[in-house]
Amino acid sequence: GEDVEQSLFLSVREGDSSVINCTYTDSSSTYLYWYKQEPGAGLQLLTYIFSNMDMKQDQRLTVLLNKKDTHLSLRIADTQTGDSAIYFCAEILPWDDYKLSFGAGTTVTVRA
Amino acid sequence: KAGVTQTPRYLIKTRGQQVTLSCSPISGHRSVSWYQQTPGQGLQFLFEYFSETQRNKGNFPGRFSGRQFSNSRSEMNVSTLELGDSALYLCASSSPGSPGYGYTFGSGTRLTVV
């Protein structure tokens, strides 16, 4: 595909796990990122994964990478109301240095 | 450690005017990049600078320009403003020491063109 693709919306109950999925462009992309954007704010780098890794865990966050299918996912354990935000998947294509290519973002709503 | 600072936070301009936005990167970061965020187009890459040199440029018209100074601070300029230039403009900085070479973003400048 030509674009980074994400589902647009996710609703999750407080305390449950959230899984946000992303299909990125190219299996040779070296660095893949998850950013979080809260209303009125810039982007916050949540986590990243190198292409030679399958999984990365960082406290409540788990990133899974499937290079064969160019699929990336972000799991948030024990989702809290403060996790309500837009989550962006991004890659740096090997032929397009220094440029982040973003998906459209997934709006996560945490309900009580 | 101070983060990425963008000024001003909000701007209202009239069609046809020009505007200059400023970005101060994290101390020690020499790479600065700019993005435009709109509801319709999402996050679009404008350009990236390193040591005062533009290394990459997105698909924007020539009305959009940028520069970087020797202290790594960067400015972007938009001339002959159009209504469609209304957007959140985000600046990001990075260095080889950044986690995963990831970019740290500022809070953005909200530009409204009327």
Side-chain angles (χ1 to χ4, degrees):
Chain A
E2 293 184 356
D3 297 318
V4 177
E5 297 179 350
Q6 300 179 240
S7 52
L8 292 182
F9 301 100
L10 176 68
S11 178
V12 62
R13 192 188 305 269
E14 189 175 12
D16 287 351
S17 292
S18 311
V19 179
I20 307 167
N21 293 300
C22 167
T23 301
Y24 60 98
T25 305
D26 195 276
S27 59
S28 58
S29 291
T30 309
Y31 303 108
L32 296 145
Y33 304 92
W34 285 102
Y35 281 88
K36 175 184 179 183
Q37 186 175 38
E38 297 182 65
L43 301 173
Q44 174 193 354
L45 176 61
L46 279 180
T47 188
Y48 63 93
I49 189 166
F50 293 134
S51 59
N52 62 355
M53 301 167 68
D54 296 325
M55 184 184 87
K56 180 181 180 184
Q57 189 157 359
D58 185 359
Q59 299 183 329
R60 292 191 297 124
L61 304 178
T62 302
V63 179
L64 294 178
L65 176 61
N66 180 332
K67 281 184 65 175
K68 176 175 166 290
D69 295 334
T70 63
H71 185 264
L72 184 71
S73 68
L74 174 69
R75 177 178 179 269
I76 306 173
D78 186 25
T79 310
Q80 303 298 308
T81 54
D83 295 323
S84 291
I86 304 175
Y87 291 80
F88 293 93
C89 165
E91 66 179 337
I92 294 181
L93 293 163
W95 61 83
D96 212 354
D97 285 341
Y98 321 117
K99 169 188 168 183
L100 286 164
S101 296
F102 287 92
T106 300
T107 299
V108 173
T109 302
V110 181
R111 59 187 193 278
Chain B
K1 198 173 187 181
V4 178
T5 303
Q6 292 189 246
T7 56
R9 283 297 311 273
Y10 302 94
L11 265 179
I12 299 176
K13 289 286 188 178
T14 304
R15 267 184 305 175
Q17 287 186 314
Q18 75 162 7
V19 68
T20 299
L21 311 182
S22 180
C23 172
S24 293
I26 290 173
S27 178
H29 285 197
R30 293 165 63 190
S31 167
V32 174
S33 49
W34 290 88
Y35 291 81
Q36 181 196 64
Q37 186 177 26
T38 59
Q41 298 298 316
L43 284 152
Q44 300 290 316
F45 172 78
L46 283 154
F47 24 67
E48 189 266 358
Y49 289 88
F50 181 86
S51 292
E52 303 178 67
T53 300
Q54 187 182 88
R55 297 193 295 187
N56 200 349
K57 186 178 188 304
N59 296 322
F60 279 82
R63 300 184 298 106
F64 291 81
S65 64
R67 60 178 175 168
Q68 186 181 35
F69 302 95
S70 58
N71 62 357
S72 295
R73 190 177 70 85
S74 177
E75 289 181 347
M76 67 163 281
N77 184 274
V78 189
S79 62
T80 321
L81 283 164
E82 301 177 359
L83 294 179
D85 297 332
S86 294
L88 180 66
Y89 289 88
L90 292 163
C91 166
S93 74
S94 178
S95 80
S98 301
Y101 297 91
Y103 287 83
T104 300
F105 283 80
S107 298
T109 294
R110 172 79 59 186
L111 172 65
T112 302
V113 182
V114 297

